[in-house]
Amino acid sequence: MGCVHGKCCSRYPSSTDSEAGGYGEMGSCRNATSKHILTQRSLEIVPVPSQNYEMQYSVLTQRGYYPDSPDKENQDSFCIRTQIQGNPNVHFFGVFDGHGHFGTECSKFVKNRLAEILANDPELLDDPVKAYNSAFLTTNYELHSSEIDDSMSGTTAITVLVIEDAIYVANVGDSRAVIAVKNGNRIVAENLSSDQTPFRKDEYERVKLCGARILSVDQVEGLKDPDVQAWGDEESQGGDPPRLWVQNGMYPGTAFTRSVGDSTAEKIGVISVPEVSMVRLTPNHLFFVVASDGVFEFLSSQTVVDMVARYTDSRDACAAIAGESYKIWLEHENRTDDITIIIVHIKGLSNSGAGDTDGTTGASMNPASSRTGRGSSDSSAASGSEIYRSMRSEFTDLQLSMNRSPAIVVPSPSKPRELVGLLIILCN
């Protein structure tokens, strides 16, 4: 959701960072195919030799449609780094959704520094949760200290760190990671992160204690009673969500409760401390998706997983999801958000391959608040995954388909009708 001005408020355009610097330390990654006709990307494969499986992945990042700002850049960025610390079993995937006037600069800065700090942490493999916390806090401090004005700009971050057969998911903000789990004859979506917004009771209470006023735009403008501190759920109120404001001002208006940067919002409780979850992979885990809220604003986690499952080529899936997201955005609003999506298929993992690593953590963690609403997972079936949400260290108190469907995603045109005509989504 970003800042109160939406994501149309950048007055300082620069080059779009959809390609440059997105990949780093590619190591022994190999191309499975030539470039995809729609996404213009190769299908990449990276092995995880210790557990005898491989990950096959693709990424797509697409600028939004902004009729009031036709030259506005894509503020999303992504980072994929393989063989972290030279280890063939450690890989990193991240999506960063910038917001504010300097949102692009913030997302670029964070995607680079966060991965670098993690890669240089000697304790990364011994204590990934502690390393994640330290990396986020250090990156936030460095962004504050940089030449980038992050007083009213910043970025959310959703990242996945693969260590052998375990994945650690660190989230700051309202982007999302979701994993597909085979459950009998069904493929079930299971959220790996929980959106950090005032819709969550725990996050609402935390930022209130830090001095934030929490009001929707209609409440701030006097159209609704500001004393009614209830906004339903994100599905019904996503168009005018509760936002954070200073006590005596009409700013910053953030619809998230955690981010990197946003030094002004930091004073009223918007923190850079990540919530970290861990999953021990099993043969029932088919793929995971890491995406910005441009995808999940109108598509549920289960819908996204269902769309991915229709395709054997994840590049087709990326294009279809981006196209469907654009279409639904324009059904609700006169603009779309920037969209970035990484799809990672887990290939060849067997019980014997996973047996070398203990499947338990020996800890009982408090689960993050679950909620059903706009973009939330619509599945309640148990998967048997070992997910430990909000694992806190001392830093935290506070898959060409058989029936290939064309999915065309084009650079943002000047007119929404043009866009709809060029987005062809045939979901079988």
Side-chain angles (χ1 to χ4, degrees):
M1 293 179 187
C3 63
V4 69
H5 307 292
K7 295 186 180 179
C8 307
C9 53
S10 178
R11 297 175 300 176
Y12 309 93
S14 61
S15 60
T16 298
D17 185 40
S18 59
E19 294 261 357
Y23 294 95
E25 299 181 5
M26 293 306 290
S28 64
C29 244
R30 68 182 189 272
N31 293 345
T33 62
S34 58
K35 285 189 176 182
H36 190 262
I37 190 171
L38 301 177
T39 66
Q40 287 301 297
R41 295 189 186 279
S42 300
L43 191 61
E44 306 287 349
I45 297 176
V46 60
V48 183
S50 69
Q51 305 299 312
N52 197 30
Y53 76 96
E54 63 183 22
M55 294 182 296
Q56 186 181 87
Y57 63 87
S58 187
V59 60
L60 182 149
T61 185
Q62 176 68 40
R63 174 189 177 274
Y65 167 69
Y66 303 99
D68 296 330
S69 304
D71 296 325
K72 182 186 173 295
E73 60 200 329
N74 185 353
Q75 291 187 303
D76 283 3
S77 63
F78 66 90
C79 180
I80 298 174
R81 295 201 180 192
T82 63
Q83 298 195 3
I84 297 290
Q85 297 185 347
N87 189 322
N89 303 300
V90 184
H91 314 286
F92 177 86
F93 304 86
V95 170
F96 305 87
D97 185 352
H99 51 262
H101 297 322
F102 300 102
T104 302
E105 291 84 348
C106 289
S107 68
K108 287 179 181 179
F109 182 96
V110 173
K111 76 160 189 181
N112 290 322
R113 286 302 295 143
L114 184 66
E116 288 169 1
I117 293 168
L118 279 174
N120 291 324
D121 191 329
E123 297 184 25
L124 176 63
L125 302 185
D126 296 327
D127 194 341
V129 178
K130 181 178 179 181
Y132 248 143
N133 276 277
S134 179
F136 269 88
L137 294 175
T138 300
T139 301
N140 189 58
Y141 173 80
E142 290 185 0
L143 179 55
H144 289 342
S145 304
S146 73
E147 295 180 354
I148 301 170
D149 179 2
D150 71 345
S151 58
M152 296 287 285
S153 299
T155 186
T156 63
I158 179 68
T159 67
V160 175
L161 178 68
V162 179
I163 302 179
E164 297 187 338
D165 64 342
I167 61 174
Y168 293 84
V169 181
N171 181 46
V172 167
D174 55 2
S175 293
R176 188 180 302 173
V178 59
I179 196 165
V181 186
K182 185 178 180 182
N183 188 347
N185 294 325
R186 302 172 59 207
I187 298 178
V188 177
E190 190 172 87
N191 284 339
L192 297 173
S193 60
S194 178
D195 302 355
Q196 296 152 351
T197 74
F199 283 109
R200 270 177 52 177
K201 186 174 185 294
D202 58 338
E203 289 292 281
Y204 169 88
E205 293 175 346
R206 182 181 61 77
V207 296
K208 285 282 282 189
L209 288 173
C210 294
R213 287 191 304 150
I214 304 177
L215 303 167
S216 68
V217 171
D218 279 354
Q219 288 176 309
V220 168
E221 294 179 346
L223 302 177
K224 291 184 179 179
D225 187 352
D227 295 327
V228 178
Q229 293 285 282
W231 300 274
D233 56 38
E234 197 166 351
E235 182 176 18
S236 62
Q237 296 298 320
D240 187 23
R243 297 176 180 274
L244 279 61
W245 315 86
V246 298
Q247 286 297 325
N248 298 307
M250 299 283 284
Y251 63 92
T254 64
F256 45 79
T257 55
R258 302 192 190 202
S259 71
V260 182
D262 293 295
S263 58
T264 298
E266 197 172 75
K267 299 172 184 177
I268 53 172
V270 176
I271 58 175
S272 61
V273 178
E275 289 182 314
V276 183
S277 66
M278 175 269 201
V279 171
R280 185 73 61 184
L281 296 175
T282 74
N284 288 329
H285 291 111
L286 306 180
F287 55 84
F288 61 83
V289 178
V290 186
S292 62
D293 71 332
V295 170
F296 292 111
E297 180 72 13
F298 296 111
L299 298 181
S300 72
S301 296
Q302 188 64 53
T303 298
V304 169
V305 162
D306 290 344
M307 293 184 72
V308 176
R310 294 191 186 109
Y311 299 90
T312 56
D313 190 323
S314 59
R315 296 168 300 176
D316 291 335
C318 281
I321 291 167
E324 184 70 1
S325 298
Y326 262 55
K327 182 169 71 73
I328 299 177
W329 268 93
L330 290 173
E331 289 173 358
H332 290 80
E333 301 187 18
N334 67 347
R335 71 173 186 97
T336 76
D337 200 355
D338 301 328
I339 291 170
T340 300
I341 180 169
I342 300 172
I343 300 174
V344 183
H345 282 269
I346 301 159
K347 302 281 191 178
L349 182 64
S350 65
N351 284 317
S352 59
D356 297 334
T357 306
D358 186 5
T360 63
T361 65
S364 177
M365 299 296 174
N366 293 325
S369 300
S370 62
R371 58 176 179 79
T372 49
R374 173 177 295 183
S376 63
S377 174
D378 21 25
S379 169
S380 58
S383 70
S385 296
E386 298 171 40
I387 298 184
Y388 301 92
R389 300 196 185 281
S390 305
M391 298 168 64
R392 295 179 175 89
S393 71
E394 63 268 25
F395 292 98
T396 44
D397 287 327
L398 317 142
Q399 150 179 151
L400 300 171
S401 76
M402 294 302 292
N403 298 301
R404 170 173 278 180
S405 300
I408 299 177
V409 182
V410 298
S412 302
S414 59
K415 299 178 182 179
R417 184 173 299 176
E418 242 176 90
L419 179 63
V420 175
L422 289 168
L423 290 175
I424 306 174
I425 306 299
L426 301 176
C427 298
N428 298 327

